[in-house]
Amino acid sequence: MAAASAQPVELGFAEVAPAWRLRSEHFPSKVGGRPAWLGGAGLPGPEALGCARCGRPLAFLLQVYAPLPERPDAFHRGLFLFCCREPPCCAGLRVFRNQLPRKNEFYSYDPPPENSSSETESVCLQLKSGAHLCRVCGCLGPKACSRCQNTYYCSKEHQTLDWRLGHKQLCTKPDHLNHTVPDHNFLFPEFEIVTETENEILPEAVEKEDDYEVIGSMDEGLEEELDFMAKHESREEYIFQKFKTQIALEPQQILRYGRGIKPLWISGENIPQEKDIPDCRCGSKRIFEFQVMPQLLNYLKADRLGKSVDWGVLAVFTCAESCSLGTGYTEEFVWKQDITDTS
């Protein structure tokens, strides 16, 4: 996904894709499954990927490949978003950024071939850097099974889950690593995110937005303001209608990308102020980069665990300088806005 400093906005759509295209060496943007980690060093550990409220491991939600071509140190750049599968809370969302120069220790200087010659059904649970990944979620797995010493986990919870689903029977068998990793009912369904440029906003929506801004900035014009409020009932309904109008041409969009633009909020409530967005560790301000749309929930089958995963908008803010802090993963900031009932 190409980075953008202003318009146009890039829209993301979920599509089924072959497994080979969703691997790290093809630099995918994708939803669900296991993370296709970009850099193989400095991965966020279990503490960083544990829910601050319930303490359980977060699930990988999606990643966006968003290089900055003008930056040699960010020739490859990815953003990785995780969420809690328990009832939703702001404490259960974390996002991490990783970036690499074109010449690096993990990937070839030249782009990979666009073919499926290396396709295999096996799950890769060890990175080229040597880091082991959790057999359940694909995140960093520092804990080895005490019996076989060959399978790794991010947490006791995931080790217990895998033990119940077959590792107990396979643990001491010589070929147990060749067996298919079971469905632990933890990962979200996997899709590729494909993008296209958004069409112009509908002209009548622009006019209404301009009208609203003028009315909101003047003390006079009470009659016009009353007319406007009669049409829209409230600022809350206006923002929601603007949201619906904006996405009407592409109702299946699951993601909106535009580095440095303004988010498209779904509600007039819980819109962050500048002071609500913390600065990066480097001291730079954070700017908006992309948002996850509620349409993604239709693809996640989030209720299959009997748990609620829900949001109106997930807005991701990243370092304005996209600071380079080594080859590790830098935590950024995500703001969750829920849907307000306008009925």
Side-chain angles (χ1 to χ4, degrees), residues 50-63:
C51 178
R53 181 169 296 178
C54 70
R56 293 179 176 171
L58 300 179
F60 170 69
L61 180 60
L62 60 80
Q63 65 188 74

Side-chain angles (χ1 to χ4, degrees), residues 8-315:
V9 176
E10 290 187 57
L11 307 181
F13 302 87
E15 288 191 4
V16 176
W20 64 268
R21 210 158 70 202
L22 301 180
R23 292 179 179 163
S24 297
E25 61 267 27
H26 290 278
F27 310 109
S29 293
K30 76 184 192 80
V31 172
R34 293 172 174 82
W37 295 108
L38 183 59
L43 272 66
E47 184 175 345
L49 290 176
C51 178
R53 181 169 296 178
C54 70
R56 293 179 176 171
L58 300 179
F60 170 69
L61 180 60
L62 60 80
Q63 65 188 74
V64 175
Y65 183 64
L68 303 178
E70 72 281 5
R71 288 274 301 274
D73 62 332
F75 183 85
H76 298 296
R77 182 172 175 272
L79 300 163
F80 298 77
L81 180 60
F82 298 81
C83 71
C84 185
R85 295 213 62 161
E86 294 303 301
C89 59
C90 292
L93 292 163
R94 307 290 285 270
V95 61
F96 298 86
R97 170 175 55 87
N98 182 246
Q99 58 196 49
L100 300 168
R102 184 171 185 177
K103 186 177 182 180
N104 61 77
E105 61 184 299
F106 305 114
Y107 303 103
S108 169
Y109 186 84
D110 297 315
E114 266 299 324
N115 61 59
S116 57
S117 60
S118 61
E119 184 170 1
T120 175
E121 293 300 319
S122 63
V123 176
C124 179
L125 294 175
Q126 185 174 11
L127 301 178
K128 293 179 180 179
S129 63
H132 293 281
L133 303 179
C134 175
R135 183 172 158 87
V136 175
C137 66
C139 296
L140 191 63
K143 301 178 184 294
C145 172
S146 59
R147 290 178 64 184
C148 69
Q149 294 292 317
N150 284 319
T151 53
Y152 294 81
Y153 304 96
C154 67
S155 61
K156 189 70 175 178
E157 180 172 333
H158 280 185
Q159 183 176 7
T160 302
L161 178 59
D162 191 47
W163 186 260
R164 291 200 310 262
L165 290 177
H167 188 62
K168 179 179 180 179
Q169 290 73 34
L170 299 173
C171 183
T172 56
K173 294 184 178 180
D175 65 340
H176 76 276
L177 292 180
N178 296 325
H179 286 265
T180 302
V181 176
D183 178 8
H184 297 93
N185 212 25
F186 179 80
L187 304 175
F188 290 117
E190 191 172 37
F191 299 92
E192 183 178 16
I193 300 176
V194 298
T195 62
E196 64 180 49
T197 301
E198 182 181 46
N199 291 323
E200 293 281 336
I201 186 172
L202 297 178
E204 59 268 26
V206 174
E207 292 173 5
K208 290 177 181 178
E209 182 173 0
D210 291 342
D211 287 346
Y212 184 77
E213 290 177 351
V214 169
I215 291 169
S217 63
M218 297 175 64
D219 292 331
E220 54 275 326
L222 177 60
E223 183 177 350
E224 291 88 345
E225 183 172 359
L226 291 175
D227 287 343
F228 180 87
M229 295 298 288
K231 292 179 181 178
H232 296 280
E233 295 185 8
S234 68
R235 177 174 179 269
E236 176 63 40
E237 181 180 304
Y238 165 75
I239 291 177
F240 183 62
Q241 291 300 324
K242 176 186 174 184
F243 178 90
K244 291 201 302 181
T245 299
Q246 185 77 53
I247 67 173
L249 293 179
E250 299 289 355
Q252 299 304 312
Q253 59 185 275
I254 63 166
L255 184 141
R256 297 174 64 84
Y257 183 94
R259 190 165 186 260
I261 68 170
K262 293 182 179 180
L264 178 64
W265 299 112
I266 196 171
S267 167
E269 297 184 5
N270 197 32
I271 294 178
Q273 303 299 311
E274 184 176 349
K275 62 181 176 60
D276 297 319
I277 309 299
D279 292 346
C280 178
R281 285 192 305 162
C282 72
S284 299
K285 295 290 184 182
R286 284 193 170 100
I287 58 173
F288 172 77
E289 184 147 351
F290 74 88
Q291 69 187 78
V292 184
M293 306 294 279
Q295 290 91 324
L296 178 59
L297 294 165
N298 298 327
Y299 295 88
L300 295 184
K301 300 180 180 177
D303 292 333
R304 67 178 184 159
L305 293 179
K307 304 287 170 53
S308 173
V309 178
D310 196 12
W311 63 77
V313 165
L314 300 180

